[in-house]
Amino acid sequence: MEVVEDIQDDVSMAPESEIISVGDNNDAYQQSEKGSEKSSAEQETDNSAESAPATASIPALASQSTAKPATEPVPETETEPSSVSEEEEGGEGGDIYTVEAVVDDRIIGGQKYYLLKWEGYGSEENTWEPVDDNFQCMDLANDYERRKKMKTFGALYPKGFSLSRLYNVPSLHKIRVINEVDEAQLPEDFVYTDGYIRGKGVPYPSGVVFPCSCTGAKCGVDCECMGVSCYDDRGRLCVELRYPIHECNYLCKCSINCPNRIVQRGNPIQLDVFRTILKGWGVRTRRIIYKGEYVCRYTGELITFEESTLRDLEQTTYLFDLDHEIPRKLDNHYAIDACKYGNVSHFLNHSCDPNLEIRAVYINHLDPLMHELAFFASKDIAVEEELTFDYSPGLNINAQSDPQDTGSPLDESKNFRCYCGTSCCRKYIFN
């Protein structure tokens, strides 16, 4: 099986010089001696022992706006630094001096220090400031920590990193991996498959198929396989029709380009598997996906319904019952578990207002207990928009409006709270 060529084969890990590291080499500190001079004895003492980086003459504070100019010493009348507000005036001229950015950090003797870049001053005027009660630059410090993490994560999944580097992905699937949120990595034990892996106790499907009588490479609207034509002349699903989809099978003489082989032919949509803040991994598109357009199948391990009830609770969100074609009065027999096996649909998140809908599809058999599951766009999907489907269609939960509330009768389901953020959010994914 071919693998996807990396979108940017020449992408390499970020050079070490670009990755901000934490160390304790005092030779790397930029120390300032503005406004005062040390005796040779003091210098020898400083050089002979490990000490915290000098805070120079700008206040030993760290407020985004400070009254102490970088070129003035701390007044001798101040025995200890005072908290400085963003608009406090100071110095003889009463000027305000602003911290532009945090550019480095060190830990010495358990004390955290940040290297501050002052607005309007060169890097040689940067000063080290301790994180203590007087440190009032936490917004800039947090931004610095975020940027530092991004450089580390960027080295883990460089720009253009292809999913085919991790899994055996079909060449048709152009999928990248992006994590700009945390240190999470994709599961190493996940097996990428675009079909079903038959589990223990699962028989082969029944239901004999027959070839259509169409001639030529492409079937027409009167093809016997279709029954009802579910696709329009652009190959898009007529989503208003609620019938199951019957495509041409392996006995038919038409080619793979037949207009009734949409699901089995696949769609070369360019997707990103990306890290979200609250929902783990998700999937978004790199091009417009039009209403009715086929996206992917739901694949994984085909198991018995009894086996699905024994799977770990963490796997619940990957279990999909094959009950689309089973009358409500009959029991379900099989389920798909996409936890360890599957394709890009493994990473699709839930939404109470989804942009994908799932349909039952029959290709090489007519067994209603083992039909295929295929995702189609239920509306036009914009570039960079996340792809989602409803994990519990038809579910009606009267949850409290505040998801942080306690005392809800559904508290036992808090592990399955919904974070889709839509106006019609049900607050919970499952009952």
Side-chain angles (χ1 to χ4, degrees), residues 152-260:
T152 303
F153 304 153
L156 181 63
Y157 296 123
K159 184 178 181 180
F161 189 93
S162 174
L163 191 67
S164 63
R165 286 188 171 184
L166 303 175
Y167 310 126
N168 190 19
V169 179
S171 59
L172 188 67
H173 298 189
K174 310 296 184 182
I175 306 170
R176 302 184 309 190
V177 182
I178 299 174
N179 185 353
E180 298 177 337
V181 174
D182 55 25
E183 298 176 334
Q185 300 182 43
L186 292 174
E188 295 182 358
D189 59 348
F190 182 71
V191 177
Y192 199 99
T193 176
D194 209 29
Y196 288 163
I197 304 295
R198 198 162 54 91
K200 182 179 179 180
V202 177
Y204 287 98
S206 61
V208 178
V209 293
F210 297 91
C212 61
S213 58
C214 302
T215 58
K218 298 181 179 182
C219 296
V221 293
D222 57 348
C223 174
E224 296 95 334
C225 292
M226 295 185 191
V228 175
S229 180
C230 293
Y231 302 124
D232 62 18
D233 56 3
R234 296 169 296 182
R236 299 176 188 171
L237 179 70
C238 300
V239 295
E240 290 76 13
L241 299 176
R242 310 310 301 179
Y243 303 105
I245 300 169
H246 292 80
E247 293 198 346
C248 291
N249 59 70
Y250 70 101
L251 295 175
C252 299
K253 296 181 180 180
C254 53
S255 73
I256 191 62
N257 294 319
C258 172
N260 196 35

Side-chain angles (χ1 to χ4, degrees), residues 385-401:
E385 184 177 347
E386 184 177 4
L387 306 183
T388 58
F389 71 101
D390 191 340
Y391 287 11
S392 302
L395 184 64
N396 183 18
I397 298 178
N398 294 319
Q400 297 180 23
S401 60

Side-chain angles (χ1 to χ4, degrees), residues 89-111:
E89 294 184 358
E92 294 181 358
D95 295 328
I96 297 295
Y97 293 83
T98 304
V99 178
E100 180 178 319
V102 174
V103 296
D104 202 354
D105 68 301
R106 294 287 187 270
I107 298 178
I108 298 297
Q111 174 66 59

Side-chain angles (χ1 to χ4, degrees), residues 19-290:
I19 298 181
I20 302 172
S21 61
V22 175
D24 57 1
N25 183 357
N26 289 324
D27 292 338
Y29 299 145
Q30 297 183 33
Q31 302 188 1
S32 174
E33 298 176 353
K34 306 179 188 67
S36 64
E37 295 182 359
K38 294 182 179 180
S39 66
S40 60
E42 289 175 322
Q43 292 178 358
E44 290 176 1
T45 300
D46 289 347
N47 292 332
S48 63
E50 179 176 337
S51 61
T55 57
S57 305
I58 302 185
L61 62 94
S63 149
Q64 291 187 13
S65 295
T66 176
K68 308 296 192 300
T71 55
E72 291 184 1
V74 177
E76 295 181 3
T77 56
E78 292 187 13
T79 57
E80 58 182 40
S82 58
S83 177
V84 181
S85 68
E86 294 188 357
E87 298 300 332
E88 180 180 343
E89 294 184 358
E92 294 181 358
D95 295 328
I96 297 295
Y97 293 83
T98 304
V99 178
E100 180 178 319
V102 174
V103 296
D104 202 354
D105 68 301
R106 294 287 187 270
I107 298 178
I108 298 297
Q111 174 66 59
K112 179 85 167 185
Y113 289 82
Y114 283 115
L115 184 61
L116 305 184
K117 170 70 171 66
W118 296 86
E119 189 174 290
Y121 292 85
S123 58
E124 69 278 0
E125 302 290 342
N126 292 354
T127 62
W128 290 95
E129 306 294 346
V131 180
D132 54 22
D133 292 341
N134 300 290
F135 191 85
Q136 299 182 18
C137 255
M138 286 313 300
D139 286 346
L140 292 177
N142 291 337
D143 182 66
Y144 161 80
E145 295 291 350
R146 182 189 61 79
R147 287 184 284 110
K148 186 169 76 168
K149 285 184 178 181
M150 288 308 101
K151 289 190 177 183
T152 303
F153 304 153
L156 181 63
Y157 296 123
K159 184 178 181 180
F161 189 93
S162 174
L163 191 67
S164 63
R165 286 188 171 184
L166 303 175
Y167 310 126
N168 190 19
V169 179
S171 59
L172 188 67
H173 298 189
K174 310 296 184 182
I175 306 170
R176 302 184 309 190
V177 182
I178 299 174
N179 185 353
E180 298 177 337
V181 174
D182 55 25
E183 298 176 334
Q185 300 182 43
L186 292 174
E188 295 182 358
D189 59 348
F190 182 71
V191 177
Y192 199 99
T193 176
D194 209 29
Y196 288 163
I197 304 295
R198 198 162 54 91
K200 182 179 179 180
V202 177
Y204 287 98
S206 61
V208 178
V209 293
F210 297 91
C212 61
S213 58
C214 302
T215 58
K218 298 181 179 182
C219 296
V221 293
D222 57 348
C223 174
E224 296 95 334
C225 292
M226 295 185 191
V228 175
S229 180
C230 293
Y231 302 124
D232 62 18
D233 56 3
R234 296 169 296 182
R236 299 176 188 171
L237 179 70
C238 300
V239 295
E240 290 76 13
L241 299 176
R242 310 310 301 179
Y243 303 105
I245 300 169
H246 292 80
E247 293 198 346
C248 291
N249 59 70
Y250 70 101
L251 295 175
C252 299
K253 296 181 180 180
C254 53
S255 73
I256 191 62
N257 294 319
C258 172
N260 196 35
R261 293 185 185 268
I262 298 298
V263 172
Q264 53 196 293
R265 183 164 64 243
N267 192 349
I269 297 176
Q270 297 182 347
L271 304 173
D272 286 337
V273 173
F274 73 107
R275 191 69 176 173
T276 70
I277 296 176
L278 296 175
K279 301 180 293 182
W281 295 98
V283 180
R284 63 191 179 199
T285 177
R286 303 204 302 273
R287 72 161 174 84
I288 296 175
I289 300 177
Y290 295 98

